[in-house]
Amino acid sequence: DGQLVITESASERLSKIRQSRDALLALSDVLMLKLNDSDAISGSPDVLARQRLATYRQALRDVTLQDPFAVTWPILETNNE
């Protein structure tokens, strides 16, 4: 009948976004550990991979600054593009 029905508040939505963001940050922690190991084994840091991961992690932290009903999730760029 054309009526707008709100099923979720902005604070509820933001809470779910934070949960998803935190899970993705935890996964990126594992990637950072692997990168650290790889750097230690090879003896030379992969600067580009570190920059990409740092940029991705910052974008994840910034995701809560977006409209909770129109979030654009960051994508981690890899060398396998």
Side-chain angles (χ1 to χ4, degrees):
D1 61 342
Q3 300 239 348
L4 176 64
V5 178
I6 298 176
T7 59
E8 186 175 38
S9 72
S11 63
E12 290 172 327
R13 183 71 182 136
L14 191 54
S15 177
K16 289 179 182 177
I17 290 167
R18 280 191 182 108
Q19 288 175 344
S20 296
R21 186 260 335 254
D22 291 348
L24 290 170
L25 279 170
L27 288 172
S28 73
D29 289 344
V30 173
L31 293 174
M32 183 61 77
L33 291 172
K34 288 180 179 180
L35 187 57
N36 289 340
D37 288 348
S38 177
D39 289 353
I41 291 167
S42 71
S44 62
D46 186 341
V47 175
L48 184 56
R50 287 186 171 282
Q51 288 173 336
R52 288 176 175 172
L53 187 54
T55 299
Y56 173 70
R57 289 171 58 84
Q58 185 59 55
L60 284 174
R61 288 188 291 272
D62 292 344
V63 89
T64 56
L65 303 175
Q66 298 179 37
D67 175 351
F69 296 101
V71 172
T72 301
W73 289 95
I75 297 171
L76 177 60
E77 294 182 35
T78 64
N79 291 334
N80 301 334
E81 298 168 310

